[in-house]
């Protein structure tokens, strides 16, 4: 028998064993979960795909769970038969984190969506992972508190923790890394752990909370979390300002941050993004590089902050600075910013959105974006750039037609050059979207040997590689 | 507004990892022989945690700032650099370390500050060392150099393996380089106290003020006095001071209060008992959710971190203290008077097993600082 045939036979045998194992698991799950187990193709495909450009992979089944104990039962069953488990919240990830690359069981946590306990005086809340960020803020409306982390999508808190999400407010309130105080997770061996108490800082052992936040479900399935809340600011205002160049806008941001002006958000849009949101949200903003900012504080405080920023911006050729404390006007502006992805999609009807991100030290940001914009011009891809400029994090939103291989190749090359540029500038291949399976090669490129350490941790916690296999490491 | 304060610190930029070859060789040799290493910086915190064990591995010579660009608000320094050197460099540019590390005056190093995870009075309001950490370079237990994170503010590239270094007591690796976010120095800072005889009222007030006063940067209570610090722009501090003065009679206090508590040098920690006949007190550091009602245990108490930390001087057995505090969802470190092996709050078996697996991934033979965090780790 030739080596090829031998390999194929082994594959076939393994495949048969796997088939038997998944059948056994499906059978058991069906008995335990009845109609909460779904195996229809449409629902499997929907649960194997996120909002990214990356190809979806359907799991073998989807199980809607209602408790940590149920998750534990499923994990134990899958561990016994070495079947992969993929946690699912809202499916809004952006690097293929939910794709069932090796089949397996999708653990749908979206029905575990109870707000368990608001501790108003401690400024925290205990939630189940399926609670979405809008649902949580709606729940908190009468408490005077809010949960500030705002990725564009109405993501689940569990998913946001798993991908270490952030958003426009990160410059003031941090990211999920700072927000999660503790979490409960089911590990690959079925063990349930709680990483810390609700104490702000627990001096008991390693900071395991941080290890699970951003692990993309590869170390365990998060089934409960305590997250930090903030008092609603007494006053809120917004400002916008246009610039002749990206560099002027970025220099304004650098100086603003250096003065310690506590901005809640500071967002940069290139002229193409402004054009897109003008068309989509029916605005008439000047189509030039633009900063939009949000200030939180007291009435006097937000006014003082805005005046200081205006003064700084004018030193960097900023023009058409406008400031408002009118709630409706602010809502309109920020809604337009949050809808930017849809606005960008609408720039091209025959293309799909490939949104990617990178993060660089802020002093290199202008240079990195300018070089990327030049590169976009050369590549002929339509690709607006926008970003959370206060953190050095920016997004490249490429509009690409899947059906045209040359276009996909050109976008891929543009993407690779942008990531390489960011890494060369001491930055990272992702500041916000995560690794999933879309950026695994870039992770190696960026971290080298450190990926081996990550792999050894994955191996130590999940020796059979059943927890969301094929992601991160 | 002035012009951008940019400085060229490229002179500091180094190099390759060859400079660490001596340290790598020491670790390699320990890995081969299984010899435990006791990582020593300035040794300002040997009292903290389990008893040091093993052959000394001095790392204080690994010093120097690698990169600091004030416009970036990021500093990268080698782990043996003294905090005072860093503080001086930052202060010249109107910047500071946001987590107020203790023991600066005793020569404490940056590596020690990260390894111990100790933070000053601002902890609940501005975060601790882990919240400022952007990346580390380490030698693992096999003598390999690895870097996690870097110089950027946001990084979701893979597992977060640099934040767990904060508070790991050096048990996961030898810290070589550390990059940190820094903050602008606050324009104004003032500390006050006012009478609040009842501990319950003090906790309620501290929690309420955390939502009302944007400039609140420290809050505690001792012997009937609620003590606060406000930091921020002149406008913010004066507004918050006026707000406080409306319903309280404020007296200004020495800002040293905050440092002496975070260094455990406040008279609360150092004064001997008046009644010498009583047995030696133990001093516990208790971490709780800030609004937890007063801890009902015998002994004197000092509140810090806006209610999230309670220090207790008591004759009670540490096990009894821990049992009570566990019921409140907190944890207890034993600062003084008891077995050093029981310094940190014990972990349940599941968590200990997870700790051991993580430790083994970094340090397979358990050569780094054995017992400093927990026996067997």
């Amino acid at each position: 028998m030739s080596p090829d045939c031998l390999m194929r036979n082994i594959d076939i045998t393994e495949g048969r064993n796997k088939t038997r194992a998944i059948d056994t698991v499906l059978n058991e799950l069906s008995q335990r979960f009845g109609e909460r187990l779904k195996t229809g193709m449409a629902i499997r495909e929907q649960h194997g795909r996120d909002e990214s450009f990356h190809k979806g992979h359907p799991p073998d089944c989807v199980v809607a769970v209602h408790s940590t104990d149920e998750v534990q039962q499923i994990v134990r069953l899958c561990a016994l038969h070495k079947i992969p488990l993929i946690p699912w919240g809202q499916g809004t990830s952006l690097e293929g984190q939910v794709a069932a690359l090796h089949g397996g069981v999708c653990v749908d946590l979206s029905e575990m969506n109870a707000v368990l306990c608001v501790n108003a005086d401690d400024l925290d809340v205990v939630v189940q992972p399926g609670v979405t960020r809008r649902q949580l803020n709606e729940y908190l409306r009468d408490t005077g508190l809010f949960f500030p982390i705002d990725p564009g999508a109405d993501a689940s808190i569990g998913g946001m923790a798993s991908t270490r999400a952030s958003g426009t407010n990160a410059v003031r309130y941090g990211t999920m890394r700072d927000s999660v105080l503790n979490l409960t997770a089911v590990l690959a061996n079925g063990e349930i752990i709680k990483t810390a108490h609700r104490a702000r800082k627990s001096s008991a052992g390693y900071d395991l909370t941080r290890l699970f936040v951003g692990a993309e479900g590869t170390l365990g399935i998060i089934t409960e979390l305590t997250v930090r809340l903030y008092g609603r600011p007494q006053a809120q205002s917004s400002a916008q300002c246009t610039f002749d160049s990206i560099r002027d806008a970025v220099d304004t941001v650098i100086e603003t941050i250096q003065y310690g002006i506590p901005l809640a958000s500071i967002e940069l849009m290139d002229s193409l993004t402004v054009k897109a949101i003008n068309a989509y949200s029916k605005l008439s903003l000047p189509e030039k590089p633009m900063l939009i900012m949000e200030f939180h504080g007291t009435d006097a405080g937000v006014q003082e902050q805005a005046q200081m920023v205006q003064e700084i911006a004018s030193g960097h050729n900023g023009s058409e600075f406008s400031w408002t404390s009118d709630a409706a006007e602010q809502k309109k502006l920020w809604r337009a910013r949050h809808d930017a992805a849809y606005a960008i999609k609408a720039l091209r009807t025959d293309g799909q959105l490939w949104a990617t991100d990178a993060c660089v030290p802020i002093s290199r940001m202008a240079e990195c974006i300018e070089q990327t914009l030049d590169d976009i011009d050369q590549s002929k891809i339509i690709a607006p750039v926008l970003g959370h400029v206060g953190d050095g994090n920016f997004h490249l939103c490429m509009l690409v037609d899947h059906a045209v291989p040359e276009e996909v190749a050109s976008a891929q090359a543009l993407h690779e050059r942008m990531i390489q540029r960011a890494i060369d500038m001491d930055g990272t291949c992702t500041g916000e979207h995560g690794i999933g399976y879309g950026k695994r090669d870039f992770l190696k490129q960026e971290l080298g040997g450190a990926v081996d350490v990550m792999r050894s941790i994955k191996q130590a916690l999940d020796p059979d590689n059943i927890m969301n296999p094929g992601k991160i490491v | 507004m002035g012009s951008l304060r940019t400085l060229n610190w490229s002179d500091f930029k180094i190099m390759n990892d060859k400079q660490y070859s001596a340290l790598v060789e020491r670790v390699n040799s320990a890995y081969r022989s299984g010899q435990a290493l006791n990582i020593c910086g300035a040794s300002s915190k040997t009292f903290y945690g389990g008893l040091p064990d093993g052959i000394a591995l001095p790392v204080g010579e690994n010093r120097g700032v690698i990169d600091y660009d004030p416009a970036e608000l990021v500093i990268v320094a080698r782990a043996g650099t003294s905090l005072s050197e860093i503080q001086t460099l930052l202060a010249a540019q109107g910047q500071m370390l946001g987590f107020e590390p203790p023991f600066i005056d005793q020569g404490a190093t940056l590596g020690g500050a990260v390894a111990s995870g100790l933070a000053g009075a601002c902890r609940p309001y501005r975060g601790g060392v882990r919240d400022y950490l952007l990346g580390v370079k380490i030698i693992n237990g096999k003598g390999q150099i690895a870097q996690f994170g870097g110089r950027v503010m946001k990084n979701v590239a893979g597992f977060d393996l640099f934040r767990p270094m904060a508070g790991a007591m050096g048990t996961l690796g030898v810290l070589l380089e550390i990059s940190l976010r820094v903050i602008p120095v606050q324009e104004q800072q003032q500390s006050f106290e006012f009478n609040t005889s009842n501990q319950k009222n003090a906790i309620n007030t501290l929690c309420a003020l955390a939502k009302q006063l944007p400039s609140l940067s420290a809050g505690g209570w001792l012997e009937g006095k609620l003590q606060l610090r406000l930091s921020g722009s002149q406008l913010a501090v004066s507004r918050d001071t006026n707000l406080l003065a409306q319903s309280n009679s404020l007296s200004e206090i020495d800002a040293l209060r905050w440092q002496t508590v975070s260094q455990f040098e406040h008279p609360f920690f150092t004064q001997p008992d008046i009644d010498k006949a009583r047995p030696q007190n133990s001093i516990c550091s208790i971490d709780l959710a800030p609004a937890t009602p007063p801890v009902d245990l015998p002994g004197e108490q000092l509140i810090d971190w806006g209610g999230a930390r309670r220090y207790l001087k008591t004759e009670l057995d540490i096990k009894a203290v821990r049992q009570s505090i566990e019921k409140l969802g907190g944890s207890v470190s034993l600062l003084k008077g008891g077995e050093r092996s029981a310094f940190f709050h014990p972990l349940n078996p599941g968590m200990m097993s997870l700790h051991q697996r993580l430790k083994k991934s970094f340090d397979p033979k358990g050569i780094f600082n054995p017992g400093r965090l927990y026996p067997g780790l």
Side-chain angles (χ1 to χ4, degrees), chain A residues 335-394:
Chain A
R335 185 82 225 178
R337 167 62 188 89
H338 284 300
D339 284 343
Y342 304 107
I344 288 166
K345 268 187 197 169
L347 283 174
R348 187 177 168 186
T349 48
D350 61 343
Q352 292 85 45
L353 176 64
W354 181 352
T356 180
D357 82 313
C359 192
V360 290
I362 194 167
S363 59
R364 308 296 298 274
M365 191 172 190
E367 189 185 352
C368 194
I369 294 180
E370 280 169 354
Q371 287 181 16
T372 304
L373 288 172
D374 284 347
D375 204 5
I376 294 168
D377 280 347
Q378 312 256 322
S379 73
K380 310 280 183 258
I381 302 274
I382 299 174
V385 172
L386 66 162
H388 313 306
V389 67
D391 311 306
N393 183 208
F394 66 95

Side-chain angles (χ1 to χ4, degrees), chain A residues 47-202:
Chain A
H47 283 74
R49 193 174 51 225
D50 57 15
E51 291 190 355
S52 72
F53 187 76
H54 305 297
K55 193 170 169 282
H57 291 261
D60 290 295
C61 67
V62 178
V63 195
V65 290
H66 290 166
S67 68
T68 302
D69 285 348
E70 286 187 353
V71 175
Q72 184 184 41
Q73 286 173 31
I74 298 173
V75 172
R76 281 185 174 155
L77 180 65
C78 288
L80 190 64
H81 297 282
K82 297 188 179 161
I83 293 295
L85 292 134
I86 306 98
W88 203 87
Q90 287 291 315
T92 56
S93 57
L94 288 164
E95 289 296 344
Q97 279 91 343
V98 301
L101 300 176
H102 306 277
V105 176
C106 168
V107 181
D108 180 353
L109 297 141
S110 62
E111 291 177 18
M112 280 181 75
N113 61 352
V115 176
L116 299 174
C117 179
V118 178
N119 302 297
D121 287 333
D122 293 319
L123 295 172
D124 67 43
V125 60
V126 186
V127 296
Q128 288 188 318
V131 171
T132 71
R133 66 176 186 90
R134 285 198 189 126
Q135 178 197 346
L136 178 58
N137 276 323
E138 188 61 28
Y139 190 94
L140 294 170
R141 208 171 46 179
D142 299 329
T143 63
L145 303 172
F146 80 117
F147 173 68
I149 302 178
D150 63 339
D154 188 19
S156 68
I157 306 292
M160 287 170 65
S162 281
T163 54
R164 222 185 285 144
S166 50
T168 61
N169 279 330
V171 63
R172 168 84 175 257
Y173 300 102
T175 74
M176 283 306 274
R177 171 154 43 201
D178 314 289
S179 167
V180 181
L181 295 174
N182 68 49
L183 53 87
T184 301
V186 181
L187 305 183
N189 60 5
E191 201 178 325
I192 297 169
I193 60 135
K194 186 171 181 182
T195 55
H197 301 297
R198 279 199 309 117
R200 278 288 174 272
K201 183 249 166 215
S202 173

Side-chain angles (χ1 to χ4, degrees), chain A residues 120-123 145 163-164 166-167 170 175 177-178 187 189 191 193-195 197-208 210-212 215 218-219 234 254-255 257-260 298 300 304 308 311-312 359-363 388 391 393 426-435 443 446-447 450 453-454 456-458 460-461 472, chain B residues 1-5 13 48 69-73 95 117 123-124 130-131 140 146-149 151-164 166-168 171-172 184 207 210-211 214 233 235 239 287-292 305 308-309 329-331 333 344-345 347 349-351 353-355 357-359 361-362 373-374 377:
Chain A
D121 287 333
D122 293 319
L123 295 172
L145 303 172
T163 54
R164 222 185 285 144
S166 50
T175 74
R177 171 154 43 201
D178 314 289
L187 305 183
N189 60 5
E191 201 178 325
I193 60 135
K194 186 171 181 182
T195 55
H197 301 297
R198 279 199 309 117
R200 278 288 174 272
K201 183 249 166 215
S202 173
S203 42
Y206 299 140
D207 186 354
L208 296 178
R210 252 33 65 182
L211 185 63
F212 282 89
T218 62
L219 300 180
Q234 183 199 332
I254 292 175
E255 198 172 335
I257 290 174
Q258 238 188 334
Y259 276 101
T298 57
E304 184 201 27
M308 286 172 81
E311 211 177 310
I312 293 168
C359 192
V360 290
I362 194 167
S363 59
H388 313 306
D391 311 306
N393 183 208
D426 271 346
T428 172
C429 65
T430 174
E432 205 167 60
H433 294 179
I435 299 297
L443 186 69
E446 180 181 328
L447 294 180
V453 183
M454 290 182 187
S456 74
I457 286 164
K458 164 76 172 165
L461 267 66
I472 302 184
Chain B
M1 289 292 158
S3 62
L4 277 183
R5 288 167 289 179
K13 284 203 192 234
Y48 190 74
D69 179 352
E72 195 71 51
L73 290 165
Q95 297 179 354
R123 177 71 182 81
R130 72 171 181 220
D131 300 298
N140 72 6
Q147 178 162 343
F148 307 108
R151 294 174 49 209
V152 289
M153 294 294 166
K154 282 203 292 197
N155 182 328
V156 289
F159 301 149
D160 184 345
L161 294 182
F162 53 94
R163 301 238 179 159
T171 57
L172 297 177
C207 290
K211 285 182 256 182
S233 71
L235 183 89
R239 177 200 162 269
D287 291 324
L288 289 161
T292 311
W305 292 4
R309 172 153 287 181
S331 63
S333 297
F344 293 113
H345 199 96
L347 301 172
M351 279 293 274
S353 147
L354 197 53
H355 273 64
R357 281 181 275 169
L358 189 64
K359 163 81 172 171
S361 303
F362 280 96
L373 193 56
Y374 289 105
L377 208 63

Side-chain angles (χ1 to χ4, degrees), chain B residues 16-33 35 37 57-59 62 137-146 173-177 367-368:
Chain B
N16 49 38
D17 290 331
K18 277 188 190 147
Q19 61 180 316
Y20 301 125
S21 54
L23 278 174
V24 167
E25 187 36 51
R26 287 286 312 270
V27 174
N28 263 326
S29 137
Y31 175 63
R32 287 192 297 270
S33 65
Q35 170 66 56
L37 296 173
L57 179 70
V59 291
N62 174 35
K137 185 180 272 187
I138 64 158
I139 308 177
N140 72 6
K142 287 179 173 175
Q144 296 159 330
I145 291 181
V174 180
L175 293 164
L176 293 175
E177 296 173 13
I367 57 173
F368 293 136

